Amino acid sequence: MIILGIDPGLRTTGFGVIEKHGTKLRYIASGTIKTGTEGALPPRLKVILKGVGEIVSAYQPGCAAIEKVFVNVNPQSTLLLGQARGAAITALVGADLDVAEYTAVQVKQAVVGTGKAAKAQVQDMVARLLKLPGLPGTDAADALGVAICHAHSIDTLSMIGALSPATATLRMKRSRLV
């Protein structure tokens, strides 16, 4: 199964594509979609929408995962990040992909083993887990981390959902199924 991970951002949206075979993960691609810092918001959101759509077309993932928005000290920044995230999600669901959502803490816990890991630790562990020759950029590493988190979670979530239709609405909250 091919999994697309997205680390949303208004200036830079990271993406990571991995393939999962049983318990093995294989790196396919990663990079960023850059909108810059200048210009009106709608054209910048269009860049994210089109960029994610092109990535989906190029790699044909079976599912996607995206990082949840954290509440910033600056509410305006949080709103802008939410809009960038919305553009990415729109592209994913527009391509009929199932989209899972994970917090930064869940991603760090799945990749590094602790929810308080630094960005450099995430970069290093992503490179190790995917046997990369070097460290990916921070946005790409975060997106690959989201994809890895989903790869680790998807079997468990599918199994729980298969046990009972009523449990199909389970989600993660504070690293626990609720």
Side-chain angles (χ1 to χ4, degrees):
M1 165 183 289
I2 295 175
I3 302 169
L4 170 60
I6 300 287
D7 176 40
L10 185 56
R11 290 183 191 141
T12 306
T13 292
F15 72 90
V17 185
I18 63 172
E19 186 171 22
K20 179 181 184 335
H21 283 290
T23 59
K24 296 188 190 246
L25 302 178
R26 183 178 69 86
Y27 172 84
I28 296 177
S30 63
T32 57
I33 301 164
K34 294 187 184 281
T35 66
T37 59
E38 301 298 319
L41 180 63
R44 293 171 70 194
L45 295 175
K46 183 178 180 182
V47 169
I48 296 168
L49 180 73
K50 286 182 70 178
V52 172
E54 289 170 5
I55 293 162
V56 169
S57 291
Y59 297 104
Q60 299 293 306
C63 60
I66 191 165
E67 190 173 298
K68 286 185 181 179
V69 173
F70 61 92
V71 177
N72 232 326
V73 173
N74 180 346
Q76 182 64 24
S77 296
T78 303
L79 289 171
L80 291 171
L81 178 58
Q83 291 178 44
R85 186 173 176 274
I89 290 173
T90 300
L92 297 170
V93 298
D96 294 324
L97 290 174
D98 288 333
V99 181
E101 301 173 278
Y102 299 96
T103 66
V105 171
Q106 289 170 316
V107 172
K108 290 174 181 181
Q109 198 162 26
V111 174
V112 180
T114 177
K116 296 184 181 198
K119 280 197 175 279
Q121 289 175 295
V122 173
Q123 280 180 290
D124 184 57
M125 283 305 297
V126 163
R128 288 172 187 245
L129 291 169
L130 298 175
K131 298 176 179 79
L132 301 177
L135 294 178
T138 56
D139 295 305
D142 287 348
L144 287 165
V146 171
I148 291 167
C149 178
H150 190 58
H152 291 328
S153 303
I154 194 166
D155 292 337
T156 303
L157 293 173
S158 295
M159 186 173 61
I160 291 170
L163 292 176
S164 167
T167 61
T169 59
L170 287 177
R171 61 186 173 83
M172 296 294 287
K173 183 174 183 182
R174 294 188 179 151
S175 302
R176 295 179 184 198
L177 284 173
V178 292

